[in-house]
Amino acid sequence: MLLSILSWLLGGLLLLAVAVVVGLVLATWWISAKAGRLVPARGKFVEIDGNRVHYVEEGEGRPIVFLHGLGAQLHHFRHTLFGRFGPGYRLIALDRPGSGYSVRAGDATGRLPEQAEIVRRFIDRLGLEKPLVVGHSLGGAIALTLAVEHPGTISGIALLAPLTHLETRARQKFDLLYVPSRLLRRIMAYTVAIPLSLKYAEPTMRFIFAPQAVPGDYMTGGGGWLGLRPAHFHATSTDVVAVEQDLGRIEQRYGEIAMPAGILFGTADRVIGMAIHGEPMRDRLKGLDFEAVEGLGHMPQFIDPERVTAFIKRIAARAFATKSLSAID
């Protein structure tokens, strides 16, 4: 009798567990489908080493390539900065592989040199002649890696609140994303991660934009909904794990960077602190154009797009002037 009762209890618990998992999978599918409807793909696609890269471009002239940060996508630039530059620029923003509508290759690691190589191949595939590269947050670390390992590919770098140094305590801000197991990352991506991300989306956004308010149109115009898709979570978690493997080595080579470079940092950035990731770069990059903005947080392109556009155009003027002199020589 007791064994029979225990069997029924175990069976009931198993059915409950299955029901919970199925419910999470269905919720994930529903949220992901809604994200796709609200923020559809807007650009073109190009295949690079098994990665299907989605990108948008606007204008003609001097090329500028934009690299977004952790968990973001190309709308962080398309929505905020495109249309502000005026004539004479070809603006290209891409979803880094795994983010937005770009698909990451199955064997990809997400490590900084790998991502920099994909950007190099992307620049070559589009026939861009030594563009300026703009990198925000983690995109800044990728831009710096590109400048260190492929300096002949680009003419300069303009970095917005960039990740520049390996910080042992930085992982604590992203504990829920730090999932070393590839299998567990994938299981979480298609079960619990997306419903939880939706539940905590508002406080997460408040933290990222602080001390400024989250723009009212961020989830649609800014592409925020795209972060609520399984592949996007998987890629973001992969990036968090991978960055620790190379950033310490890359930062030792910043002194090799000889191209025009600029950094814009908000003094009130709570995601990536200026004291650790900004100020030390004054002594690491020769001729660095460093702009500190009092009271600004981690998302300058949303909060002060005019200032950011002026900053990028200033670095672009130096970069393309240097490129022209090199061509004459």
Side-chain angles (χ1 to χ4, degrees), residues 215-246:
D217 64 346
Y218 174 72
M219 291 301 289
T220 50
W225 271 102
L226 293 180
L228 299 172
R229 300 163 76 231
H232 195 107
F233 170 85
H234 187 272
T236 301
S237 177
T238 299
D239 287 347
V240 169
V241 173
V243 71
E244 295 185 339
Q245 300 181 57
D246 300 289

Side-chain angles (χ1 to χ4, degrees), residues 157-173:
I157 51 176
L159 311 179
L160 310 174
L163 175 71
T164 63
H165 288 74
L166 186 61
E167 186 182 357
T168 54
R169 295 195 309 169
R171 187 198 303 173
Q172 296 174 4
K173 301 175 183 178

Side-chain angles (χ1 to χ4, degrees), residues 15 96 114 121 124-125 138 154 162 165 185 191 267 272 293 321 327-328:
L15 287 174
R96 291 188 293 101
E114 178 184 85
R121 294 284 305 278
D124 183 64
R125 184 67 62 85
L138 176 60
I154 60 178
H165 288 74
R185 278 201 299 269
T191 54
T267 62
I272 297 179
V293 184
I328 293 173

Side-chain angles (χ1 to χ4, degrees), residues 75-91:
H75 296 286
H76 278 214
F77 300 113
R78 183 205 63 79
H79 178 63
T80 58
L81 302 180
F82 281 27
R84 297 180 183 273
F85 277 79
Y89 297 95
R90 182 183 177 187
L91 310 176

Side-chain angles (χ1 to χ4, degrees), residues 112 137-146 159 162-164 243 247 250 254:
L112 292 176
S137 196
L138 176 60
I142 296 168
L144 284 163
T145 305
L146 190 65
L159 311 179
L163 175 71
T164 63
V243 71
L247 186 56
I250 296 297
Y254 290 161

Side-chain angles (χ1 to χ4, degrees), residues 176-208:
L176 296 178
L177 290 169
Y178 190 83
V179 185
S181 167
R182 294 178 61 136
L183 176 60
L184 182 57
R185 278 201 299 269
R186 192 160 296 279
I187 292 172
M188 289 180 63
Y190 288 90
T191 54
V192 69
I194 302 307
L196 279 179
S197 296
L198 180 60
K199 180 178 180 179
Y200 293 105
E202 186 173 340
T204 299
M205 291 302 100
R206 286 203 302 267
F207 166 70
I208 292 173

